[in-house]
């Protein structure tokens, strides 16, 4: 595998960047600890199947009954999907779940929760090797198939990526579906990447999709205001395993109806793109991006000139197994930023696992938990945390499953039972959780930016739908505070209006509602 090494100029740039970073004035560096609660699931769940399920294996984590405890919707591949209802008794208690009712679906690769029709209830976009399905939330964790009702024409495609955003003036979201290899191409699979599709709203639903071509086999896509221009652009992370040559990472500009190119400063990077995560790590208001791949994982810093690759010394490449007996290159899948020990520094979780039996890549490939440090680097802590299992992991989610202010972990494995991990880190810092609501359309304020200000400075997070690897969450934004004893937040809403700074309680969830 080819490693992406930084040049000397990149190292100098990174040194100046680290000097400019804003961090909590008193960082609490508690070692993360997770307890295996997989036995709390009422049944063992496995993502399984043939070559069309070598990829995918996603999970959706969201609250579908209004009790503030997120449920888990798990893709099964050739096995049926399952919905696990969260029945944890009290904040901080051991996790517990019951089996919920869900339409009988197989061939599912992943799922993303969002309120598509803005009725206040979360729906599910279900991706499949086969026709995708739109499940309309009915309340109390009940769902009905609204695919045809909403104008999504079922197609026999192999969908492995999804993202959504609300364009200005629209009451329904724009939906992007990333299709992998064309299942009907007799000359495939190599060089047979399918086109992706963009569904823009028309009335109370959708009509014929707009084709996004050329397609380079995306395994993840994400709408974000990457350039902070007040409009979301779509990043498609593409798998060069099947596009082989001529392809690269893509950025599609919605308002201009085109892919960015070299003339825009877009670097045409070719990787085995599998997952995307975004978070502003530097405090400049622009999101950095973590891309998973075979071999190195690619962390890129946002600058005014575009994206710059993080130096190897940053410690985020996670290029080989950090423990065990296998020294071959790693295969990364899901990526997620979060603060798992509430020290105020963003950490990175990366799920790992061989595609199947690829001989040049590690078979014993533990997941990574890269803990952020005050100097802008990351250090591996998955073994300390107890989550360094060797299954072929795929999709995942970080979310507070028991309301104690600590991010728990769900991991879907291929041909092995899914894992649920309860965060039991002791001695961490304070925290604030923030969720947004607004009346009318886009009830969850997708596309909003939340700023938190404490004694260390200002940190920002954007509300998005997409990214990861076939896995999505609809949970509050989480801010670790370290030793800060107070905090205030303000919101830049999707339409650009900015709220006043408001003091929020620490170690608690704050819901900010806007009437329009």
């Amino acid at each position: 595998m080819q490693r992406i090494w930084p040049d000397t100029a990149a190292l100098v740039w990174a040194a100046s960047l680290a000097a400019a970073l804003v961090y909590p004035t008193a960082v609490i560096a508690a070692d993360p600890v997770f307890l295996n609660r997989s036995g709390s699931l009422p049944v063992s769940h496995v993502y399984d199947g043939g070559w069309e399920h070598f990829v995918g294996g996603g999970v959706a984590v969201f609250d579908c009954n209004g009790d503030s405890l997120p449920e888990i919707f798990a893709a099964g591949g050739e096995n049926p999907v399952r919905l696990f209802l969260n029945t944890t008794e009290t904040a901080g208690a051991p996790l517990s779940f019951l089996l919920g009712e869900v339409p009988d679906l197989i061939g599912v690769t992943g799922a993303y929760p969002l309120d598509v029709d803005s009725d206040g209830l979360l729906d599910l976009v279900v991706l499949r090797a086969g026709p995708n399905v739109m499940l309309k939330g009915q309340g109390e964790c009940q769902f009905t198939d609204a695919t045809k009702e909403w104008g999504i024409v079922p197609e026999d495609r192999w969908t492995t990526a999804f993202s959504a955003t609300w364009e200005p003036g629209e009451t329904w979201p724009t939906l992007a579906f990333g299709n992998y290899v064309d299942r009907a191409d007799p000359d495939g699979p190599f060089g047979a990447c399918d086109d992706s599709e963009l569904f823009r709203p028309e009335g109370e639903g959708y009509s014929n999709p707009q084709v996004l071509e050329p397609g380079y086999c995306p395994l993840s896509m994400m709408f974000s205001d990457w350039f902070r221009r007040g409009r979301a652009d779509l990043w498609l992370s593409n798998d060069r395993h099947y596009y082989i040559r001529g392809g690269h990472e893509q950025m599609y500009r919605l308002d201009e109806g085109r892919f960015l190119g070299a003339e825009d400063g877009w670097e045409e990077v070719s990787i085995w793109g599998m997952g995307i995560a975004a978070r502003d790590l530097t405090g400049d208001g622009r999101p950095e991006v973590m891309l998973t791949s075979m071999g190195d994982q690619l962390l890129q810093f946002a600058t005014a000139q575009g994206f710059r690759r993080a130096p190897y010394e940053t410690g985020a490449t996670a290029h080989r197994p950090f423990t065990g007996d296998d020294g071959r290159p790693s295969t990364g899948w899901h990526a997620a930023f979060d603060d798992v020990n509430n020290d105020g520094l963003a950490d990175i979780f990366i799920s790992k696992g061989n595609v199947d039996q690829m001989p040049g890549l590690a078979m014993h490939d533990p997941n990574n938990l890269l803990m952020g440090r005050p100097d802008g680097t990351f250090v591996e802590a998955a073994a300390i945390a107890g989550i360094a299992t060797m299954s072929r992991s795929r999709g995942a989610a970080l979310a507070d499953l028991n309301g104690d202010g600590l991010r728990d972990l769900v991991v879907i494995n291929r041909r092995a039972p899914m894992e649920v991990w309860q965060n039991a880190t002791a001695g961490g810092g304070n925290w604030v959780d923030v969720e947004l609501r607004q009346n009318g359309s886009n009830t969850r304020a997708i596309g909003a930016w939340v700023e938190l200000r404490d004694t260390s400075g200002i940190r920002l997070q954007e509300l998005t739908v997409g990214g990861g690897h076939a896995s999505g969450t609809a949970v509050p934004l989480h801010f670790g505070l370290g030793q800060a004893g107070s905090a205030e937040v303000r919101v830049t809403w999707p339409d650009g209006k900015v709220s006043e700074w408001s003091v929020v309680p620490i170690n608690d969830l704050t819901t900010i509602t806007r009437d329009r």
Side-chain angles (χ1 to χ4, degrees):
M1 301 299 170
Q2 179 183 6
R3 178 168 300 157
I4 302 171
W5 293 99
D7 56 24
T8 303
L11 291 174
V12 173
W13 165 81
S16 63
L17 174 67
L21 297 181
V22 178
Y23 295 103
T25 54
V27 173
I28 295 177
D31 287 337
V33 175
F34 285 80
L35 304 176
N36 191 343
R37 299 297 191 197
S38 305
S40 66
L41 297 173
V43 294
S44 177
H45 180 75
V46 176
Y47 181 78
D48 205 347
W51 80 289
E52 288 185 323
H53 298 294
F54 286 4
V55 300
V59 59
V61 175
F62 63 111
D63 176 16
C64 58
N65 57 13
D67 64 358
S68 298
L69 295 175
E71 276 66 50
I72 302 171
F73 179 92
E78 291 183 359
N79 293 327
V81 297
R82 286 199 170 101
L83 176 65
F84 296 102
L85 304 179
N86 194 334
T87 56
T88 305
E89 293 183 357
T90 58
L95 302 176
S96 63
F97 300 89
L98 293 175
L99 200 60
E101 296 181 4
V102 69
D104 188 17
L105 292 171
I106 61 172
V108 172
T109 57
Y112 289 82
L114 76 157
D115 186 1
V116 177
D117 57 355
S118 294
D119 66 352
L121 300 173
L122 285 171
D123 313 303
L124 276 173
V125 179
V126 181
L127 313 183
R128 301 176 70 209
N132 298 321
V133 176
M134 309 288 287
L135 294 181
K136 176 178 168 59
Q138 301 290 333
E140 297 303 320
C141 297
Q142 300 295 307
F143 298 89
T144 58
D145 188 341
T147 312
K148 293 183 179 180
E149 175 188 341
W150 289 344
I152 304 294
V153 178
E155 297 178 295
D156 190 16
R157 295 181 182 266
W158 182 2
T159 306
T160 49
F162 176 79
S163 191
T165 189
W166 267 260
E167 296 186 69
E170 296 291 350
T171 57
W172 286 61
T174 293
L175 310 175
F177 291 86
N179 299 315
Y180 199 47
V181 174
D182 185 349
R183 308 169 83 201
D185 190 331
D187 297 323
F190 299 102
C193 291
D194 203 353
D195 294 327
S196 294
E197 295 173 302
L198 198 65
F199 285 83
R200 283 181 142 136
E202 183 175 296
E204 297 295 309
Y206 302 89
S207 59
N208 294 330
Q210 172 188 343
V211 175
L212 297 182
E213 54 184 350
Y216 294 139
C217 289
L219 285 174
S220 186
M221 52 177 31
M222 187 174 181
F223 279 116
S224 174
D225 189 359
W226 300 102
F227 306 103
R228 291 312 304 267
R229 62 189 192 94
R231 295 291 298 265
D233 298 310
L234 179 65
W235 191 313
L236 296 89
S237 191
N238 298 313
D239 182 9
R240 67 178 297 175
H241 184 70
Y242 286 121
Y243 67 68
I244 307 175
R245 63 181 63 88
H248 49 79
E249 298 289 283
Q250 294 169 294
M251 181 75 78
Y252 186 80
R253 181 148 288 176
L254 270 179
D255 55 330
E256 298 176 8
R258 67 182 182 93
F259 287 105
L260 299 188
E263 67 279 6
D264 303 294
W266 178 251
E267 184 181 5
E268 296 181 348
V269 174
S270 294
I271 60 174
W272 292 266
M274 296 178 175
I276 305 175
R279 178 70 60 93
D280 176 20
L281 301 178
T282 66
D284 68 351
R286 291 184 289 257
E288 275 62 58
V289 61
M290 186 75 193
L291 302 172
T292 58
S293 181
M294 294 180 184
D296 294 348
Q297 320 314 310
L298 179 59
L299 175 64
Q300 295 191 96
F301 285 97
T303 73
Q305 292 74 40
F307 291 90
R308 296 291 300 270
R309 303 170 189 177
Y312 179 74
E313 289 77 7
T314 304
T317 60
H319 55 290
R320 296 183 188 275
F322 63 87
T323 188
D325 59 356
D326 200 328
R328 290 172 291 182
S330 287
T331 303
W333 295 92
H334 186 85
F337 288 102
D338 221 317
D339 186 351
V340 301
N341 61 353
N342 290 333
D343 63 355
L345 302 174
D347 311 310
I348 307 173
F349 173 80
I350 303 172
S351 66
K352 294 283 194 65
N354 198 291
V355 173
D356 193 57
Q357 298 287 337
M358 297 186 73
L361 296 158
M363 288 298 301
H364 302 146
D365 199 0
N367 299 331
N368 296 103
L369 183 59
L370 305 177
M371 304 298 292
R373 298 195 290 189
D375 64 356
T377 63
F378 294 87
V379 61
E380 180 59 60
I384 294 173
I387 60 172
T389 54
M390 297 290 184
S391 298
R392 296 184 188 89
S393 296
R394 293 295 190 263
L398 283 165
D400 185 358
L401 298 175
N402 63 352
D404 63 355
L406 293 169
R407 291 311 222 197
D408 308 302
L409 175 65
V410 180
V411 181
I412 301 294
N413 296 314
R414 172 169 159 76
R415 293 181 176 169
M418 68 177 281
E419 302 168 8
V420 178
W421 300 90
Q422 181 173 336
N423 191 336
T425 303
N430 294 320
W431 54 276
V432 166
D433 279 1
V434 178
E435 63 180 2
L436 303 182
R437 296 288 187 272
Q438 58 183 5
N439 60 12
S441 63
N442 191 8
T443 60
R444 304 277 170 144
I446 303 304
W449 288 82
V450 176
E451 297 174 87
L452 179 138
R453 182 168 66 185
D454 61 14
T455 53
S456 68
I458 296 175
R459 280 162 283 155
L460 299 90
Q461 293 189 50
E462 182 186 15
L463 269 168
T464 60
V465 175
H469 178 69
S471 301
T473 62
V475 296
L477 296 178
H478 178 74
F479 295 87
L481 301 182
Q483 290 183 332
S486 63
E488 51 186 350
V489 302
R490 72 176 176 184
V491 180
T492 301
W493 295 93
D495 60 6
K497 294 182 179 179
V498 183
S499 72
E500 299 292 331
W501 286 103
S502 300
V503 175
V504 292
I506 65 170
N507 301 327
D508 204 353
L509 166 66
T510 294
T511 300
I512 301 174
T513 302
R514 179 176 74 149
D515 292 326
R516 292 184 292 176

